Amino acid sequence: DLEIKRESAYSALDQQVKSLVTTHDSLKTETSSLVHALKTPSIRGRWGEIQLRNVVEKAGMLDHCDFKEQVSITTENGVLRPDLIVNLPAKRNIVIDAKAPLNSFIKAHETNNEDEKNQFLKQHAKETRAHIATLSRKNYWEQFPASPEFVVMYLPGENIFSAALHQDALLIEQGIRKNVILASPLTLIALLMIVAHGWRQEQIAKSAIEIADLGKILHEKICSFTDHFTKIGKGLKVAVDAYNGAAWTWDQHV
C-alpha cells in the first residue's frame, strides 16, 4: 500500500506539472473574457472566489483548504476574514487574501487611448502597492499563530500581476519587506502543489509508522506464539517419555 501511494503521488505531481502550460493559457482566456463582467463589485468578488477555488482544485488541495465562509477571527480592529487558509502538515497554515484592486486595471482595458491606458495602469500599480501596505497592517500571522510571518496576496490573473509589475518593478521587493508575498495563478498553483506534495509525504510517513507499529505487534505475537509452542514441545516430551516408560514397564512385567 505504501509503494502504491508513493507511485501515485509522483505520477500525480508529474501530471500536474505538465498541465501548468495549459492552465496558464486557460487562465489568460478566462481573465480576458470576464473583464467587462468584473465592473460590478459583487461579480468581481464572486469571480475572485471561483478563481481561487479553481487554483486550489488544480493543485489537488481541496481537502486541505478552508475558504473564507469557514474562517473568521475578531480582533481589536474588527473582524478579519481571509479568503483562504491553506492547512500545512504539523498543524501549520498559510493565509491567502484575494481582494486585489482591479478597478484601474479594468478601466485601462476599456480605453483605446494609450495615454489614458498608461495612467490607469500606473494607478493600478499604486493601488496594488497600497493593498500590500493594508495587508501588512492586518498582521494575519499574529491572529493565526500557526501561520508563518507572511500573507499571500493573490492577483487572479497573470496579466493583472504582470501589468502591476511592469509599472512598478519593486512591488515584489516591497511585499517581501512587509511580509506580503504576491502570487499570480501560476505561482499560487506551484506553491499549493508543493504543499500537496508535503501532504502526500506526510501520509507516506504515517503509513511507515503504521507499518512499524504493526511490525512490533506481529513480533510480540510471534514471540508469544513461540513461547506457547515451546511449552507444547516440553509437554509433549514429558508425555512421550511417560508413555515410553509405561510401555517398557508393561513389556518387562507382563
Side-chain angles (χ1 to χ4, degrees):
D1 182 62
L2 177 63
E3 185 61 23
I4 290 173
K5 287 182 179 179
R6 186 186 300 278
E7 291 180 0
S8 175
Y10 283 103
S11 176
L13 183 61
D14 181 64
Q15 186 61 36
Q16 287 170 339
V17 171
K18 290 180 179 178
S19 68
L20 281 179
V21 175
T22 303
T23 301
H24 171 66
D25 292 338
S26 64
L27 287 173
K28 285 180 65 177
T29 302
E30 290 175 9
T31 302
S32 299
S33 63
L34 287 172
V35 166
H36 294 292
L38 293 180
K39 297 176 185 178
T40 306
S42 59
I43 294 178
R44 184 164 62 243
R46 181 57 182 161
W47 174 74
E49 294 174 10
I50 293 174
Q51 279 285 78
L52 191 57
R53 187 177 291 273
N54 286 340
V55 166
V56 171
E57 184 176 358
K58 290 179 185 298
M61 280 289 292
L62 277 179
D63 294 337
H64 304 293
C65 292
D66 297 323
F67 287 86
K68 71 176 185 180
E69 60 263 27
Q70 296 173 308
V71 182
S72 62
I73 187 169
T74 303
T75 67
E76 295 179 355
N77 299 322
V79 178
L80 292 180
R81 185 174 289 113
D83 294 280
L84 183 68
I85 299 291
V86 179
N87 298 312
L88 305 176
K91 297 182 179 180
R92 307 287 291 176
N93 53 55
I94 296 176
V95 178
I96 297 179
D97 181 275
K99 305 176 186 68
L102 299 178
N103 289 332
S104 295
F105 178 81
I106 294 173
K107 291 177 181 179
H109 283 77
E110 289 177 334
T111 180
N112 294 322
N113 186 299
E114 287 299 320
D115 291 335
E116 289 184 357
K117 179 176 290 188
N118 289 333
Q119 289 300 319
F120 283 130
L121 289 177
K122 289 179 181 179
Q123 183 61 30
H124 170 59
K126 290 180 181 179
E127 291 173 356
T128 302
R129 178 179 282 269
H131 192 62
I132 290 174
T134 300
L135 278 182
S136 178
R137 289 193 295 269
K138 289 184 178 180
N139 296 328
Y140 274 116
W141 47 89
E142 293 182 0
Q143 313 307 328
F144 296 88
S147 173
E149 292 188 359
F150 66 82
V151 59
V152 176
M153 176 179 165
Y154 174 61
L155 296 168
E158 298 299 324
N159 49 352
I160 298 172
F161 183 75
S162 60
L165 287 182
H166 181 72
Q167 297 296 327
D168 189 347
L170 298 178
L171 279 177
I172 293 178
E173 182 180 339
Q174 187 215 9
I176 293 174
R177 288 200 306 268
K178 293 183 176 294
N179 299 328
V180 178
I181 307 299
L182 273 69
S184 68
L186 277 181
T187 53
L188 184 57
I189 287 175
L191 172 64
L192 294 179
M193 285 174 62
I194 293 171
V195 175
H197 182 70
W199 273 112
R200 286 192 287 270
Q201 295 304 310
E202 177 83 359
Q203 185 59 47
I204 290 174
K206 287 182 180 179
S207 297
I209 293 173
E210 184 179 354
I211 290 172
D213 291 340
L214 291 174
K216 181 180 179 181
I217 294 173
L218 178 61
H219 178 266
E220 292 173 352
K221 290 186 178 295
I222 290 175
C223 289
S224 177
F225 172 79
T226 303
D227 291 340
H228 290 300
F229 204 75
T230 301
K231 292 178 182 178
I232 291 173
K234 291 179 179 179
L236 288 174
K237 185 177 184 303
V238 172
V240 170
D241 290 343
Y243 174 82
N244 290 336
W248 182 84
T249 301
W250 177 265
D251 290 340
Q252 293 296 319
H253 297 89
V254 176

